[in-house]
Amino acid sequence: MSIAFEQVSYSYTPLSKRQKKKGETAKYALKNVSFTLEDGEFLAIAGHTGSGKSTLTQHLNGLVHPTEGRVLWNGLDMADKKVATQARGDIGLVFQYPEHQLFAASVYEDVAFGPRNLGCSEDEVELRVQSALEAVDLDYEKLRDVSPFELSGGQQRRVAFAGVLAMKPTTLVLDEPVAGLDPASRADFLKLIGSFHESGMTVVMVSHNMNDIALLADRVMVLNEGEIVWLGSPDEVFMHFDELRAIGLGVPHAQRFAKEMRELGFPLEEKLYSPESLADAIAARLKSGEQS
């Protein structure tokens, strides 16, 4: 189900009537944000610290509500508590370092918490727990009765993911999902996240890593001081090399290297490259030069 932001602004400290009369100005974490999250897309959100990324994600499932404007889920205003409650069953939010939120005595009980809150029968709860653990590549029979605190850090994060997946969301919102992981674990988690999207799930991922964004996203939103600076395909957004750097962001490594090659006089087409496609383009250009 689509989610639409309509001119959303948010202040953590809204002004009182008295302050407004005095002409004081509120400090906004989000300013006039409008966009629609389409079913089945992968939207990446980038921005430096304090740009409004986390505040925006909390609006996505009604944890907080706009100071001004509206957030609509399936055409319904999430400022309505009943609508927000329904939306949370459909929109799974995974915070940064989700393993810090594990609390139950066993993996089973931790993953079962969400489905039980939804009112599922115990048979349905068991099916959902098993399916969710399998979705994150954890052995249900081997780990169901193990304390999550006895697991490795990577396994704990997978259990936390499973707890969200067990609620069967159609939309998954991830706030820096691979923060703090070693390179091998990062690669595994990114592959896992990609598989969620490939299965038809709508994914929103907050990340400061432009290589990850270029690899996975259909669209990229760049925030700066609470406002949308760019919203478009990775190709469109990462063409703004200098502007991104000016607001404290970079571009994918391959894109930066291609730009440096062009500045040195090496003719490369201006487009978004992966490391593999860039290597192929350089090889093809060198081969063409040899033949001419």
Side-chain angles (χ1 to χ4, degrees), residues 194-210:
S195 73
F196 298 153
H197 180 232
E198 290 170 5
S199 72
M201 189 176 289
T202 304
V203 178
V204 178
M205 184 177 78
V206 172
S207 178
H208 67 276
N209 189 304
M210 299 305 180

Side-chain angles (χ1 to χ4, degrees), residues 156-196:
Q156 288 182 353
R157 190 165 298 190
R158 287 175 186 269
V159 171
F161 268 57
V164 174
L165 295 176
M167 299 177 73
K168 292 193 173 179
T170 64
T171 300
L172 193 60
V173 181
L174 308 168
D175 191 353
E176 297 282 4
V178 295
L181 296 177
D182 61 74
S185 296
R186 278 176 54 84
D188 286 344
F189 266 92
L190 290 172
K191 184 178 179 181
L192 186 65
I193 292 165
S195 73
F196 298 153

Side-chain angles (χ1 to χ4, degrees), residues 93-279:
L93 177 58
V94 180
F95 293 100
Q96 191 174 153
Y97 300 108
E99 60 272 21
H100 294 171
Q101 297 162 28
L102 298 173
F103 65 94
S106 70
V107 167
Y108 184 96
E109 290 301 317
D110 218 301
V111 179
F113 180 77
R116 285 195 180 125
N117 273 356
L118 293 177
C120 296
S121 68
E122 281 304 310
D123 286 343
E124 175 67 13
V125 168
E126 184 169 4
L127 287 172
R128 289 191 179 209
V129 172
Q130 184 170 358
S131 176
L133 288 173
E134 290 173 351
V136 297
D137 298 327
L138 292 178
D139 190 312
Y140 171 75
E141 294 296 341
K142 183 177 179 181
L143 297 178
R144 59 165 291 158
D145 297 321
V146 174
S147 167
F149 305 106
E150 295 177 6
L151 303 178
S152 68
Q155 287 176 317
Q156 288 182 353
R157 190 165 298 190
R158 287 175 186 269
V159 171
F161 268 57
V164 174
L165 295 176
M167 299 177 73
K168 292 193 173 179
T170 64
T171 300
L172 193 60
V173 181
L174 308 168
D175 191 353
E176 297 282 4
V178 295
L181 296 177
D182 61 74
S185 296
R186 278 176 54 84
D188 286 344
F189 266 92
L190 290 172
K191 184 178 179 181
L192 186 65
I193 292 165
S195 73
F196 298 153
H197 180 232
E198 290 170 5
S199 72
M201 189 176 289
T202 304
V203 178
V204 178
M205 184 177 78
V206 172
S207 178
H208 67 276
N209 189 304
M210 299 305 180
N211 297 300
D212 297 346
I213 287 174
L215 177 68
L216 294 169
D218 299 318
R219 283 199 299 167
V220 181
M221 176 189 295
V222 177
L223 292 174
N224 185 45
E225 296 183 352
E227 298 181 88
I228 296 177
V229 183
W230 292 287
L231 177 59
S233 69
D235 300 71
E236 293 168 337
V237 171
F238 291 132
M239 289 298 110
H240 299 281
F241 183 94
D242 294 326
E243 296 95 325
L244 286 166
R245 187 167 57 183
I247 62 172
L249 297 176
V251 296
H253 294 156
Q255 185 76 358
R256 184 174 67 225
F257 187 75
K259 182 177 185 295
E260 291 170 352
M261 292 284 285
R262 286 194 295 271
E263 290 173 347
L264 290 170
F266 193 90
L268 282 173
E269 183 182 353
E270 290 197 30
K271 66 176 186 178
L272 183 66
Y273 290 100
S274 66
E276 294 78 14
S277 66
L278 177 58

Side-chain angles (χ1 to χ4, degrees), residues 24-45:
E24 294 183 29
T25 304
K27 184 177 181 181
Y28 285 91
L30 293 178
K31 303 174 189 175
N32 199 32
V33 171
S34 295
F35 72 98
T36 298
L37 177 65
E38 302 295 346
D39 289 345
E41 79 165 316
F42 195 123
L43 173 68
I45 302 176

